[in-house]
Amino acid sequence: MSAPIKPATAEAITEAADILRRGGLVAMPTETVYGLAADAANADAVARLYAAKGRPSFNPLIAHVTGPKMAKTVAEWPELGAKLAGTYWPGPLTLVLPKKPDAAIADIANAGLDSLALRAPAHPAARALLAEFGKPLVAPSANPSGSISPTTARHVADGLGDKVDLILDGGACPVGVESTVVAIDGDTAILLRPGGLDRVQIEPITGPLARPDADAPLASPGMLKSHYAPDARVRLNATEKRPGELLIGFGEIGGDLNLSETGDLAEAATRLFAALREIDSRHPDAIAVAPIPERGLGEAINDRLQRAAAPKD
Ligand code: TXA
Ligand code: MG
């Protein structure tokens, strides 16, 4: 049976908080993508969350908080992290920080690492749910592992409807790609995943972002090569379509569906995942995608597209 979809009213949020207290799973809107929330301190609930997504348990989750005050109950709070959070929270920025040894976070939630990923989402429904629940909620994107992240309540229902207890509907996600993940290591900030906050906004505070060292313990374990994958094969940097293909356009390259006719990268990010789903539902032989400039949010868009195009193994 598919979970009910309810508009994120005060009443529905109270019901959602009750479900979470009982160890249930609630899909919640955030400004980036929909998240599948569980009580971060409840190991059984978190295990159910991994099972619902079919997510490998070595891939740690992001703990969502109301802000720095709640973050400090579970993680160390180095100055550089505090500066970034002070500027960009609530918003599409996740900080990976040293986990406090006594933090009320189930070990399975962060895959037993010494670090913990934290984010204060900006969406009013997510903020209201966190305030009412009063403790951190882990929330990966609310999609089966490996498939395209959801940006509407309908997307969540299509992928995970029978595995969650309630879907809160807060409309289409305004940012459209997941948060930028930055690990803080002393004075150094390492970009683990490009996302909804572009580096141009981060680097004035951190200096040039470091690249993750493949062998370092902080490297993002969840950044699998094939991810965000539609059923159809994906061909990138296409300026025209070949027989059997459908084309996702950008700017001047019109295509069957255009991410942004004016070449606006923020608009393209907002539309990206819904466009991939829509084109995939028409069952083309392959999905061709126009070139996307690498500047600004283009870095996150190209990251997701490269994973969508990677061979599945
Ligand atoms: O925008 C977002 O971040 C969304 C919304 C729902 O908040 N959430 C999201 O979660 O994208 P998820 O689980 O799909 O991606 C979390 C990413 C993964 O790449 C994971 O490996 C990384 O964060 N991560 C989590 N904890 C980490 C840690 N302790 N060290 C390094 N990377 C970590
Ligand atoms: Mg995800």
Side-chain angles (χ1 to χ4, degrees), residues 212-240:
D213 168 352
D215 304 324
L218 278 178
S220 210
M223 295 305 280
L224 306 174
K225 218 167 179 185
S226 168
H227 214 72
Y228 311 97
D231 288 333
R233 195 165 50 76
V234 176
R235 184 170 71 86
L236 303 181
N237 295 315
T239 46
E240 54 192 22

Side-chain angles (χ1 to χ4, degrees), residues 174-261:
V175 176
V177 292
E178 297 85 348
S179 61
T180 303
V181 181
V182 173
I184 305 297
D185 185 7
D187 295 337
T188 310
I190 306 155
L191 180 64
L192 298 183
R193 176 177 76 180
L197 183 68
D198 85 61
R199 67 163 72 226
V200 170
Q201 303 195 262
I202 299 173
E203 291 184 329
I205 297 175
T206 59
L209 286 165
R211 288 169 151 277
D213 168 352
D215 304 324
L218 278 178
S220 210
M223 295 305 280
L224 306 174
K225 218 167 179 185
S226 168
H227 214 72
Y228 311 97
D231 288 333
R233 195 165 50 76
V234 176
R235 184 170 71 86
L236 303 181
N237 295 315
T239 46
E240 54 192 22
K241 64 178 171 180
R242 297 176 183 162
E245 288 183 341
L246 287 171
L247 175 64
I248 297 181
F250 178 78
E252 309 268 275
I253 299 177
D256 297 284
L257 200 156
N258 198 298
L259 292 177
S260 171
E261 279 166 20

Side-chain angles (χ1 to χ4, degrees), residues 56-57 128:
S57 58

Side-chain angles (χ1 to χ4, degrees), residues 33 53 55 59 140-143 145-147 149-150 178 193 227-228:
V33 301
K53 277 185 61 87
R55 178 176 175 116
N59 187 1
S141 50
N143 54 284
S145 186
S147 73
S149 298
E178 297 85 348
R193 176 177 76 180
H227 214 72
Y228 311 97

Side-chain angles (χ1 to χ4, degrees), residues 32-292:
T32 58
V33 301
Y34 274 71
L36 182 57
D39 178 353
N42 182 335
D44 292 338
V46 179
R48 211 169 305 134
L49 192 162
Y50 276 98
K53 277 185 61 87
R55 178 176 175 116
S57 58
F58 57 77
N59 187 1
L61 304 172
I62 298 171
H64 293 65
V65 294
T66 46
K69 191 171 166 211
M70 193 183 281
K72 285 183 220 174
T73 66
V74 290
E76 305 299 341
W77 200 243
E79 203 181 312
L80 188 54
K83 259 195 209 162
L84 283 171
T87 310
Y88 292 118
W89 278 10
L93 172 68
T94 293
L95 298 173
V96 175
L97 298 166
K99 181 186 173 185
K100 280 194 170 164
D102 59 346
I105 299 285
D107 283 333
I108 175 181
N110 68 328
L113 299 170
D114 296 332
S115 59
L116 182 63
L118 288 156
R119 169 165 117 80
H123 195 290
R127 287 176 65 71
L129 181 58
L130 281 161
E132 179 137 348
F133 188 68
K135 293 189 301 176
L137 290 171
V138 283
S141 50
N143 54 284
S145 186
S147 73
I148 300 167
S149 298
T151 54
T152 66
R154 174 48 46 197
H155 294 164
V156 178
D158 289 347
L160 290 178
D162 55 348
K163 300 200 169 67
V164 311
D165 298 305
L166 174 63
I167 300 170
L168 289 174
D169 189 349
C173 301
V175 176
V177 292
E178 297 85 348
S179 61
T180 303
V181 181
V182 173
I184 305 297
D185 185 7
D187 295 337
T188 310
I190 306 155
L191 180 64
L192 298 183
R193 176 177 76 180
L197 183 68
D198 85 61
R199 67 163 72 226
V200 170
Q201 303 195 262
I202 299 173
E203 291 184 329
I205 297 175
T206 59
L209 286 165
R211 288 169 151 277
D213 168 352
D215 304 324
L218 278 178
S220 210
M223 295 305 280
L224 306 174
K225 218 167 179 185
S226 168
H227 214 72
Y228 311 97
D231 288 333
R233 195 165 50 76
V234 176
R235 184 170 71 86
L236 303 181
N237 295 315
T239 46
E240 54 192 22
K241 64 178 171 180
R242 297 176 183 162
E245 288 183 341
L246 287 171
L247 175 64
I248 297 181
F250 178 78
E252 309 268 275
I253 299 177
D256 297 284
L257 200 156
N258 198 298
L259 292 177
S260 171
E261 279 166 20
T262 58
D264 178 342
L265 289 162
E267 181 178 44
T270 304
R271 292 185 180 168
L272 177 67
F273 290 146
L276 282 168
R277 280 170 189 268
E278 164 60 28
I279 292 288
D280 202 32
S281 75
R282 299 187 212 166
H283 304 292
D285 294 341
I287 301 172
V289 188
I292 308 292

